[in-house]
Amino acid sequence: MYPLIWDEPFREGYQEWMKAHPRYAGISRERIRLLASDPFHPSLKTHQLSGRLTGMYAARITLELRIIFRLTPDPDPSLILIGFADHTEVF
């Protein structure tokens, strides 16, 4: 299990998105738990980003929604949750 670090922009974006899309509350919590246990689980379709987001990863929450995160290096890796945005906003 990877510790999750919720940075402030992520927390704000997540709260705003949940207010606008309450029907996704359950699936988003489930996917965040899955991300913490296995950030590269096939259902998350996690992939490295490039350009201005080099060094970060995107994981799928829904068809439209992505979580942007950074994986800290060993020996004690953790996930820093950076962004929570619509697929079109990320790419």
Side-chain angles (χ1 to χ4, degrees):
M1 191 74 132
Y2 291 84
L4 298 177
I5 301 168
W6 296 54
D7 79 354
E8 195 56 35
F10 177 84
R11 187 180 311 278
E12 290 171 4
Y14 180 79
Q15 290 171 347
E16 287 176 25
W17 203 87
M18 285 298 108
K19 284 180 187 175
H21 304 89
R23 64 185 172 170
Y24 292 115
I27 189 74
S28 69
R29 283 191 298 269
E30 177 185 312
R31 293 300 185 131
I32 289 171
R33 279 193 294 271
L34 180 57
L35 183 68
S37 66
D38 181 2
F40 298 97
H41 188 278
S43 69
L44 295 172
K45 298 191 183 291
T46 302
H47 57 281
Q48 281 191 306
L49 300 173
S50 60
R52 64 182 176 84
L53 300 175
T54 296
M56 298 180 202
Y57 296 86
R60 178 189 284 189
I61 301 302
T62 69
L63 286 175
E64 304 87 21
L65 187 63
R66 302 293 183 271
I67 286 183
I68 308 304
F69 68 94
R70 179 170 297 161
L71 184 61
T72 64
D74 288 333
D76 296 316
S78 61
L79 299 175
I80 302 171
L81 305 178
I82 295 172
F84 192 87
D86 185 276
H87 180 263
T88 58
E89 294 173 15
V90 175
F91 302 99

